[in-house]
């Protein structure tokens, strides 16, 4: 009888990822200068033990072996045999990285870096082996022979044990790795063949283990099944060397052997799925219950509409009002169902924030800086897809804050600041968006240096004058770096433009506020989901476009006295105290239009970050939620368009990418200026 364990592997891998994150968080919370919190070490030990136990069960031998070393080191610490130093914290963090790499390799069917594994393993063995050698030496001095230790284990699983994915053979395999293992199976409890249930277990085992291990090490292996079996672990009678093999027993029991070596984690394949996307998501019971309730309401609404239809056929009376009520209720239920389904995809942003403490720990040590990290709003929820794509830009911004923002303790003290700098991550909802702030109290942006670099690179001319805010925007220009030196972390100016591009691709924006000597704040604004958006339908000729409502500031009919023009430009508009460029949508997409003069059409004022522009369209239609379809996957990438949707009448409408549209507008303006200059010199 065997159970297909593969269906439990994905769950184990997901849970191991969470346990590794827990271990990392607990290690980073330890201040080695303070008294050691025993419960913290116990919690880390339990997490490592669960990882090892599961790895043994599912055949990830390499993970099990490596984690056993980690577990041994932790056991010595909690037993008071070893001090918890900063070096050990770093080694355990490295060990966590190795295990995480092995798990990723196991999920992908790849191979983790063998050199890294060997290096960290050597360090662990040096520590653990050293203490074992000391212990062995002490035992030898006392005249004890540790190699002669033998344990007798009587293991009688209950019939249902394998229903939960437990496999005794996997346990025996781990025992066999501890030392010499002899296994005797008692099959006397087997029922007759016609009464045998293949899913139930009726075999008992007596195991003899000769190994230099303690009782608790064996007991821990059976922790997973201790409520599903009868178990006794006793020190066996002294075993003579010549009796190390099992004698053949003439009647009972039958001899069994330990299972064959299973594939290592590095060589195991689980279908080649990507580590970046496990394809699963955990959903709270409350969210499922809410969906069930909404589904029930939909059934009721459907019944009501069916009854209304029947009444109309039978009585021919005017039941239009009743039908409208039913449709309104159907709309409410559909909306609630849609929101409920969307909530299933919502996960806490802590999944992205959890990468930052380790980053701060490693880089602050690398650069000799002291940094306090504050995290607020880590339970703020956003769509899983958005959260996954936020991780890299977030790490880049924090890395820049550590490298370029926070000063060294000496520099901070000289500037009258505390020696310890601060980086604060915050997340909160605001106006239907999620806002993520990365704030540091470091040196701030050197706008003079940025402007000088921009002039040297030809991004600005000598006659261009820029405000501090505009100078801050220059850091998002490709190739411009705020760093005075290039390090292996940053400084080549190839990151911030990618950050902005990635954020824009999510339909979001990123802005920067900085004060010299006081610090810098990056603010990221993102939609809650990438699947559905609230849009404003606009008409240009026969075409209908969707403008994301979150990007719209206002809509207005242009007045002639506020319309200005520059050389070669088709117009700018004075909107109260600022001038905004006008983007003629029909020119950008080269489509027919009805309105030529600005005063004939409408201006939709939109913003992207701190930039605003006016979209000139023929008319405004209605507002509605639209389901976003990827244009790139179904057709090709189109600049200025973030996707497409199908409207209620079955036609396809393009969803405008405001950031991309602004870039196209600027390019269009430059082309107009070039054309005008050519015409003037002709």
């Amino acid at each position: 009888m065997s159970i297909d364990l593969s269906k439990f592997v994905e769950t184990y891998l997901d849970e191991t990822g969470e346990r590794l994150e827990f271990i990392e968080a607990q290690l980073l919370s330890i201040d080695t200068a303070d008294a050691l919190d025993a419960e913290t070490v116990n919690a880390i030990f339990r997490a490592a033990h669960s990882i090892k136990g599961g790895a043994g069960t599912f055949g990830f031998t390499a993970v099990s072996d490596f984690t056993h070393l980690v577990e041994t080191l932790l056991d010595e610490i909690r037993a008071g045999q070893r001090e918890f130093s900063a070096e050990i914290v770093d080694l355990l963090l490295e060990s966590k990285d190795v295990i995480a790499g092995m798990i990723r390799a196991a999920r992908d069917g790849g191979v983790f870096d063998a050199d890294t594994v060997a290096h960290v393993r050597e360090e662990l063995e040096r520590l653990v082996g050293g203490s074992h050698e000391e212990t062995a030496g002490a035992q030898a001095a006392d005249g004890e022979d540790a190699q002669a230790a033998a344990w007798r284990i009587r293991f009688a699983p209950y019939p249902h044990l394998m229903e939960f994915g437990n496999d005794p053979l996997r346990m025996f395999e781990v025992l066999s790795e501890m030392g010499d293992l002899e296994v005797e199976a008692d099959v006397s409890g087997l029922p007759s063949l016609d009464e045998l249930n293949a899913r139930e277990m009726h075999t008992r085992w007596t195991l003899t283990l000769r190994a230099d291990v303690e009782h608790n090490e064996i007991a821990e292996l059976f922790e997973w099944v201790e409520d599903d079996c009868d178990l006794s672990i006793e020190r066996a009678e002294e075993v003579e060397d010549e009796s190390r093999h099992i004698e053949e027993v003439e009647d009972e029991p039958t001899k069994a052997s330990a299972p064959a070596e299973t594939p290592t984690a590095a060589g195991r394949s689980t279908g080649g799925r990507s580590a970046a996307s496990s394809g699963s998501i955990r959903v709270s019971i409350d969210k499922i219950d809410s969906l069930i309730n909404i589904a029930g309401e939909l059934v009721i609404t459907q019944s009501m509409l069916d009854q209304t239809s029947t009444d109309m056929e039978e009585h021919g009376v005017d039941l239009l009002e009743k039908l409208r009520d039913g449709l309104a209720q159907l709309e409410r239920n559909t909306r609630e169902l849609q929101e409920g389904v969307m909530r299933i995809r919502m996960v806490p942003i802590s999944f992205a924030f959890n990468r930052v403490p380790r980053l701060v720990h490693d880089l602050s040590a690398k650069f000799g800086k002291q940094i306090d990290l504050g995290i607020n709003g880590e339970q703020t929820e956003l769509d899983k897809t958005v959260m996954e794509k936020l991780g890299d830009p977030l790490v880049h911004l924090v890395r820049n804050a550590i490298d370029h923002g926070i000063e060294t303790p000496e520099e901070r003290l000289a500037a009258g600041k505390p020696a310890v700098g601060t980086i604060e991550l915050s997340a909160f909802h605001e106006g239907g968006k999620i806002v993520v702030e990365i704030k540091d109290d470091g040196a701030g942006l050197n706008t003079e240096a940025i402007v000088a670099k921009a002039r040297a690179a030809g991004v600005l001319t000598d006659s261009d004058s820029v405000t501090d805010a505009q100078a801050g925007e220059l850091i998002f220009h490709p190739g411009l770096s705020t760093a005075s030196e290039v390090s292996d972390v940053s400084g080549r100016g190839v990151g911030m433009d990618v950050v902005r591009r990635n954020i824009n691709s999510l339909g979001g924006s990123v802005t920067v506020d900085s004060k010299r000597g006081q610090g810098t704040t990056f603010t990221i604004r993102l939609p809650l989901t990438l699947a559905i958006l609230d849009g404003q339908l606009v008409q240009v000729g026969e075409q209908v476009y969707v403008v994301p409502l979150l990007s719209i500031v206002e809509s207005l009919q242009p007045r002639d006295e506020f319309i200005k023009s520059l050389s070669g430009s088709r117009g700018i508009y004075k909107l109260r105290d600022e001038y905004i460029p006008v983007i003629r949508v029909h020119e950008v997409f080269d489509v027919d239009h009805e309105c030529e003069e600005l005063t004939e059409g409408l201006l939709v004022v939109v913003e992207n970050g701190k930039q605003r522009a006016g979209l000139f369209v023929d008319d405004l239609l209605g507002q509605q939620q639209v389901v976003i379809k990827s244009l790139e996957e179904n057709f090709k990438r189109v600049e200025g368009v973030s996707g497409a949707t199908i409207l209620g009448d079955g036609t396809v409408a393009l969803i405008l990418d405001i950031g991309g549209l602004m870039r196209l507008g600027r390019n269009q303006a430059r082309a107009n200026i070039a054309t005008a200059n050519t015409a003037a010199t002709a």
Side-chain angles (χ1 to χ4, degrees), residues 298-319:
L298 276 174
V299 172
I300 294 172
T301 303
Q302 182 188 10
S303 299
M304 187 177 73
L305 290 173
D306 284 344
Q307 184 60 47
T308 302
S309 175
T310 302
D311 290 346
M312 291 179 74
E313 290 177 357
E314 292 180 354
H315 305 294
V317 295
D318 184 7
L319 296 175

Side-chain angles (χ1 to χ4, degrees), residues 280-283 287 342-352 377-388 429 434 528:
S280 65
I281 186 171
R282 296 195 175 197
V283 181
K287 291 179 180 177
M342 297 307 300
R343 280 199 297 273
I344 285 181
R345 293 186 53 84
M346 303 297 274
V347 295
I349 199 172
S350 58
F351 285 98
E378 62 266 39
Q379 294 305 315
T380 305
E381 290 189 331
L382 74 168
D383 187 281
K384 182 174 183 283
T385 305
V386 178
M387 190 276 297
E388 289 174 343
H429 288 141
I434 182 169
L528 291 178

Side-chain angles (χ1 to χ4, degrees), residues 445-514:
L445 295 178
N446 185 344
T447 53
E448 294 179 356
I450 295 171
V451 171
K453 286 190 175 183
R455 293 190 197 286
V459 178
L460 294 176
T461 66
D462 292 339
S463 60
D464 287 334
S465 61
V466 293
T467 64
D468 283 349
Q470 291 170 327
E473 288 291 308
L474 288 171
I475 66 174
F476 296 106
H477 193 283
L480 278 185
S481 171
T482 60
S484 56
E485 296 180 359
V486 175
S487 70
D488 59 346
V489 175
S490 56
R492 297 189 184 276
V494 294
M496 295 304 294
D497 61 316
V498 177
V499 168
R500 169 162 281 180
R501 189 162 63 243
N502 288 349
I503 296 297
N504 287 347
S505 71
L506 294 172
S509 64
V510 54
T511 59
V512 57
D513 286 303
S514 182

